[in-house]
Amino acid sequence: MIKMYGFWRSAASFRVRVALNLKGLPFEEEMIDIDVGTQYTADFLALNPQAAVPAVLVDGGPPLTQSLAILEYLEETHPAPALLPADPRGRARVRSLALLWAADHHPLIVPRIRRYLADEMGQDEAARTRWIRHWFREGLVAGEARLAGDPATGSFCHGDSPSFADLCLVSQAAGAKGFKVDFNDLPTVSRIVETCLARDEFARAHPLRQPGAPAQH
Ligand SMILES: N[C@@H](CCC(=O)N[C@@H](CS)C(=O)NCC(=O)O)C(=O)O
């Protein structure tokens, strides 16, 4: 059985959960509470010295880390259903969209950044919330600009089946919603997020459906 170390609210864990669900791979998840610092315990640092979730134990090997590397591993070892298009240009587009959210926007809002803003930069909660909302919104606005009007966009980010890009979009959108970032004015992003969340594999993986999650956030 695949074992994942994640956290209910973690966008990167959400992406991996969806991929495992879409590929029909059973897994168990242990929650590492990154709000209280469990990522810095010796036990967890032995799994991921970077002190971040997710970390995944699969196929008897050492822990896999970095959600996109984990997605690539799952895609290579369990190719069906494919979460990357068959053609190189399509794969480049999907990876580019995935990186837009996972590499350029998500890292700006994680707890270690928020702690640095508070402890080293003296930013109060209001300033930190402003920062977080700004980067969530900017990522979704950039996504709308990429997706709207591009003929490669379908009911999902790329064509009519879910890809890495949708996993990254939905995880950003869930975080944005938690911070009350309005994106109703972004019709393509809103439509794709809705389409994804209507699917059980996405809905079951949603942060608010995980142990430890509040009723609302
Ligand atoms: N780029 C990494 C991000 C990993 C990451 O930063 N995870 C967050 C939760 S989404 C975390 O564990 N943060 C711990 C912290 O900020 O202290 C990935 O995609 O896996």
Side-chain angles (χ1 to χ4, degrees):
M1 166 90 84
I2 296 173
K3 169 129 189 205
M4 166 155 136
Y5 295 83
F7 185 54
W8 70 266
R9 199 187 58 230
S10 156
S13 306
F14 186 9
R15 291 170 206 144
V16 174
R17 248 182 248 130
V18 176
L20 291 166
N21 289 344
L22 286 167
K23 289 180 180 293
L25 298 171
F27 65 98
E28 64 177 45
E29 183 169 354
E30 180 172 329
M31 296 297 168
I32 300 299
D33 191 338
I34 60 175
D35 285 337
V36 302
T38 311
Q39 68 273 40
Y40 295 105
T41 58
D43 281 353
F44 186 73
L45 288 174
L47 290 165
N48 185 7
Q50 197 194 335
V53 291
V56 169
L57 294 177
V58 57
D59 297 334
L64 296 177
T65 57
Q66 287 289 345
S67 61
L68 288 180
I70 298 167
L71 297 187
E72 295 279 356
Y73 178 90
L74 295 174
E75 188 72 4
E76 287 174 25
T77 53
H78 297 86
L83 301 180
L84 285 173
D87 60 306
R89 187 158 290 274
R91 284 200 295 278
R93 180 174 181 270
V94 164
R95 288 184 173 121
S96 168
L97 286 165
L99 289 167
L100 185 164
W101 295 298
D104 290 355
H105 292 90
H106 169 246
L108 294 165
I109 57 86
V110 295
R112 61 184 171 275
I113 301 297
R114 302 184 205 176
R115 282 195 301 273
Y116 191 85
L117 287 171
D119 301 344
E120 304 293 329
M121 308 297 284
Q123 300 300 313
D124 61 15
E125 194 178 339
R128 296 198 304 276
T129 300
R130 200 174 139 205
W131 167 281
I132 290 167
R133 286 193 179 137
H134 170 80
W135 292 114
F136 269 130
R137 169 92 189 155
E138 181 149 312
L140 296 173
V141 168
E144 181 71 23
R146 290 282 313 272
L147 294 166
D150 184 335
T153 304
S155 48
F156 291 91
C157 285
H158 191 82
D160 295 321
S161 58
S163 69
F164 288 5
D166 301 286
L167 278 45
C168 294
L169 171 57
V170 165
S171 58
Q172 279 304 94
K177 215 161 176 208
F179 276 91
K180 305 196 177 359
V181 175
D182 185 16
F183 53 92
N184 288 330
D185 60 327
L186 308 177
T188 317
V189 159
S190 301
R191 170 179 67 73
I192 293 172
V193 169
E194 218 171 280
T195 302
C196 290
L197 290 176
R199 285 187 62 145
D200 178 62
E201 300 92 335
F202 283 82
R204 266 190 290 137
H206 193 281
L208 293 178
R209 299 264 302 262
Q210 307 314 307
Q216 289 291 326
H217 84 117

